[in-house]
Amino acid sequence: MSETETAATARRNDTLVVRGAEPADHEAIDGVVLGAYARYAGQLVPEVFSRYLDDVLDLGTHASYGRLLVAATPERVLGFAVFYPDSSVPDSGFPSGWAGVRVLAVYPGAGDADVRRALLGACERLAAEAGAPVLAIRTAGFMTDAIAGYERLGYRSAPEFDGTAPLRSVAHLRYVTQLYMNLAR
């Protein structure tokens, strides 16, 4: 069965679960991120794109600041997100006390909107449990389709924070876009 057929079967079976990532998931997470971000490869010069992916896939650093989450069916991992209870670390440019999503990736053909919604819902619950008034998302400005998806879910642009967050390995700040959702609705 192809990966697209597997993803379609997973959606029909409605077996998507968001859970904490385990070490055994790391290889699948790499596949999800590389598959999801492949469409953006032409947006940056190869050297910069490679450093960007290294930053996104630095699971050890992300785990030291937050929680690695996967959206999975019993058969496979379809999505990945990193939840930071304090989005101000490391150097995000967001205020201390806000929670954040630092990475969100959905495998192509895996029901992007449903998987994104499930992962963001889990992050919103974690943020609310942590008492954070806002869930912020740090993404790349060239990911216009992802940004549009976040906005459809109620996230709003936070241009006052754009360009304030240095990527640990990428100096091209103009590619950083910030979004947020006020959780006190």
Side-chain angles (χ1 to χ4, degrees):
M1 184 179 290
S2 76
E3 292 176 2
T4 301
E5 291 168 326
T6 300
T9 299
R11 286 193 306 275
R12 282 194 301 273
N13 292 339
D14 200 30
T15 58
L16 187 67
V17 174
V18 176
R19 59 173 173 76
E22 302 168 1
D25 295 321
H26 289 195
E27 185 176 335
I29 290 168
D30 287 354
V32 166
V33 169
L34 294 174
Y37 286 24
R39 65 181 173 240
Y40 303 119
Q43 300 294 318
L44 300 170
V45 295
E47 175 186 310
V48 173
F49 186 69
S50 176
R51 288 194 315 251
Y52 180 78
L53 285 177
D54 288 347
D55 184 64
V56 168
L57 289 169
D58 186 354
L59 302 183
T61 296
H62 290 306
S64 73
Y65 292 110
R67 292 184 58 184
L68 308 179
L69 303 171
V70 295
T73 65
E75 295 83 28
R76 65 188 294 231
V77 172
L78 299 175
F80 168 65
V82 180
F83 170 77
Y84 278 39
D86 181 357
S87 69
S88 70
V89 294
D91 300 324
S92 73
F94 284 125
S96 182
W98 286 15
V101 177
R102 292 300 284 273
V103 177
L104 194 144
V106 178
Y107 196 84
D112 187 53
D114 293 338
V115 176
R116 180 187 297 123
R117 189 177 304 111
L119 286 164
L120 284 173
C123 290
E124 290 166 9
R125 284 187 295 281
L126 290 169
E129 289 170 9
V134 172
L135 180 63
I137 299 173
R138 178 177 159 203
T139 190
F142 57 81
M143 296 180 175
T144 56
D145 54 338
I147 293 167
Y150 295 134
E151 289 174 340
R152 279 191 297 278
L153 293 172
Y155 287 81
R156 296 292 166 245
S157 176
E160 64 273 27
F161 298 110
D162 286 357
T164 62
L167 295 174
R168 287 189 304 278
S169 60
V170 181
H172 292 33
L173 300 182
R174 69 182 179 276
Y175 294 111
V176 177
T177 297
Q178 314 286 14
L179 297 106
Y180 74 98
M181 176 180 283
N182 186 337
L183 297 173
R185 300 181 228 168

